[in-house]
Amino acid sequence: MNQAEAEIGSQNEWYAEIKAFDDTKLGVKGLVDAGLTKIPRIFIHPQHDLHDRSACEDSQFSIPIIDLQAVSTDSNLRAKAIEKIQNACETWGFFQIVNHGIPKTDLEEMLAAIRRFHEQDAEVKKEFYTRDLRNKTLFLSNFDLFQAPVVSWRDTFALVMDSIPPEPESLPVICSNEGIGLNPNHLKDMECAERITILGQYYPACPKPELTLGARSHSDADFMTILLQDQIGGLQVLHENQWVDVPPIPGALIVNIGDFLQLLSNDKLKSVNHRVIAKQEGPRISVACFFRTKFFEPGDDLKCYGPIKELLSEENPPMYKETTAQDFLKHYYSKGSGASALLHLKL
């Protein structure tokens, strides 16, 4: 057997292992429930992705925490909060918000509901398992299971809502557009929140966490993400070439800029890489809300997105060419992990 034949044989074996895992319709939790003690090779990540799993303990960096107490009634506090959010979006691309007005009991129930879904009877849960992303409700393990070079240690329950954009005053301050000098309805008018996808992530306890990751290093292919995490921890953000932990804070929400907001803001706001490390403790539960443009059917006129013209000038020329959401997402899921999906749009 020559080298080419050996490589083809190895690829076929790899695909067969992935398909066998997918065909169980039980996800990673199904492996754990079966008494798994050895990590299947499809979950073993390259050593260069794993050698710095632990964030630097003596790091001078910490994720910004922004208090929204009374920002809706006190104009001075609102202005200060907007300034802090703008700075966090430009330098970190990530921040946590506290005193946002959502009762802590509601957030705890949301996490509990996601846990109940993933831990219900396996045969009932199987009924939701699908890779048809046109479904509004679905359960699966790894959206990019058949495209990614390696599988991540998590399962996902997804809910998709279309054509119900929230009112501007109901959004977090970051969505008010004031941080980038636009009118309050600008991003809404651009249909930046026409499609809201909620992912209930379940990261089972891992017998060999040093060999895998809950989520590979990636940025988000949306406008903005709001995340609720439990107290297990594991989320890390890449800041100045160093992984920084995002510590769990009871009742806090995590906000991060997506690739599309970096594109629209012409690099003013930063979409940064982040990941989730696997742990022996678990399960880790999180709920992520992704703000995206609406889903287009074949034949629809596709909307193009590029740097917002009101932000451009001779001193600040456009840094990206325009793209449709469909073309961008196609590239995002085909490029694999690592480099930003925005690079191919650079002028």
Side-chain angles (χ1 to χ4, degrees):
M1 180 184 296
N2 60 36
Q3 182 176 353
E5 291 173 331
E7 289 179 355
I8 292 173
S10 178
Q11 291 172 0
N12 289 339
E13 291 176 6
W14 184 270
Y15 177 83
E17 290 180 35
I18 288 177
K19 188 174 186 307
F21 167 69
D22 194 50
D23 286 345
T24 68
K25 299 184 178 182
L26 295 175
V28 177
K29 185 177 184 299
L31 298 177
V32 175
D33 289 345
L36 178 82
T37 58
K38 181 180 179 181
I39 301 288
R41 67 168 184 161
I42 59 174
F43 291 93
I44 298 178
H45 288 238
Q47 282 302 308
H48 62 77
D49 290 340
L50 299 169
H51 78 280
D52 56 351
R53 277 171 39 88
S54 298
C56 183
E57 294 183 358
D58 61 351
S59 172
Q60 72 274 30
F61 300 126
S62 60
I63 301 293
I65 300 172
I66 298 171
D67 192 340
L68 299 186
Q69 184 74 47
V71 296
S72 61
T73 57
D74 188 313
S75 59
N76 289 328
L77 290 177
R78 179 181 178 84
K80 290 179 180 178
I82 289 174
E83 182 180 358
K84 290 178 181 178
I85 289 173
Q86 181 176 351
N87 181 65
C89 291
E90 293 177 3
T91 58
W92 277 87
F94 260 83
F95 57 94
Q96 298 205 65
I97 54 175
V98 295
N99 294 318
H100 41 66
I102 302 175
K104 185 179 176 182
T105 52
D106 290 352
L107 300 178
E108 291 172 344
E109 173 54 30
M110 189 180 302
L111 291 170
I114 295 301
R115 181 166 188 163
R116 286 196 298 270
F117 172 84
H118 285 282
E119 295 182 353
Q120 68 180 310
D121 181 83
E123 293 303 314
V124 175
K125 192 168 61 172
K126 273 185 178 181
E127 297 177 9
F128 294 93
Y129 198 94
T130 180
R131 294 202 170 273
D132 187 348
L133 301 185
R134 294 170 298 181
N135 286 13
K136 296 297 182 70
T137 304
L138 63 154
F139 161 59
L140 48 67
S141 184
N142 289 253
F143 282 95
D144 58 353
L145 180 66
F146 289 93
Q147 294 80 36
V150 66
V151 185
S152 294
W153 194 261
R154 75 175 181 280
D155 299 329
T156 302
F157 174 59
L159 296 171
V160 180
M161 297 178 285
D162 285 327
S163 302
I164 52 168
E167 293 301 318
E169 60 270 16
S170 70
L171 292 172
V173 178
I174 178 57
C175 292
S176 69
N177 308 303
E178 296 172 61
I180 52 176
L182 298 171
N183 73 69
N185 288 308
H186 199 108
L187 294 181
K188 179 187 175 185
D189 292 342
M190 294 182 70
E191 301 177 347
C192 294
E194 284 284 320
R195 183 179 178 88
I196 298 175
T197 302
I198 298 174
L199 302 186
Q201 309 279 31
Y202 187 94
Y203 303 82
C206 183
K208 297 288 184 181
E210 69 276 8
L211 297 180
T212 189
L213 288 168
R216 301 191 315 277
S217 176
H218 67 285
S219 59
D220 290 347
D222 63 351
F223 294 97
M224 181 184 69
T225 306
I226 300 178
L227 177 78
L228 169 65
Q229 67 170 343
D230 66 9
Q231 298 303 299
I232 295 291
L235 177 62
Q236 296 180 337
V237 174
L238 189 62
H239 182 70
E240 297 190 12
N241 295 316
Q242 184 175 121
W243 288 108
V244 180
D245 287 325
V246 182
I249 299 175
L253 294 172
I254 301 163
V255 182
N256 68 277
I257 300 301
D259 290 343
F260 272 97
L261 261 188
Q262 179 167 331
L263 172 71
L264 294 177
S265 69
N266 205 39
D267 271 357
K268 183 179 179 67
L269 309 182
K270 306 301 182 186
S271 175
V272 302
N273 276 27
H274 49 286
R275 68 182 184 182
V276 177
I277 61 171
K279 291 194 169 190
Q280 285 188 314
E281 309 97 318
R284 176 185 187 267
I285 311 291
S286 69
V287 184
C289 182
F290 297 84
F291 291 81
R292 292 177 168 141
T293 187
K294 65 182 179 182
F295 180 80
F296 288 89
E297 296 289 349
D300 289 348
D301 291 330
L302 299 183
K303 187 177 184 66
C304 286
Y305 292 91
I308 296 173
K309 292 180 173 54
E310 288 86 344
L311 301 179
L312 303 178
S313 64
E314 289 186 8
E315 296 76 25
N316 183 36
M319 302 188 67
Y320 300 100
K321 57 186 177 182
E322 292 187 338
T323 186
T324 64
Q326 281 68 18
D327 286 345
F328 182 81
L329 289 173
K330 182 178 179 180
H331 174 73
Y332 177 89
Y333 286 114
S334 66
K335 73 176 182 64
S337 57
S340 169
L342 291 170
L343 290 179
H344 81 296
L345 297 175
K346 280 280 190 178
L347 293 173

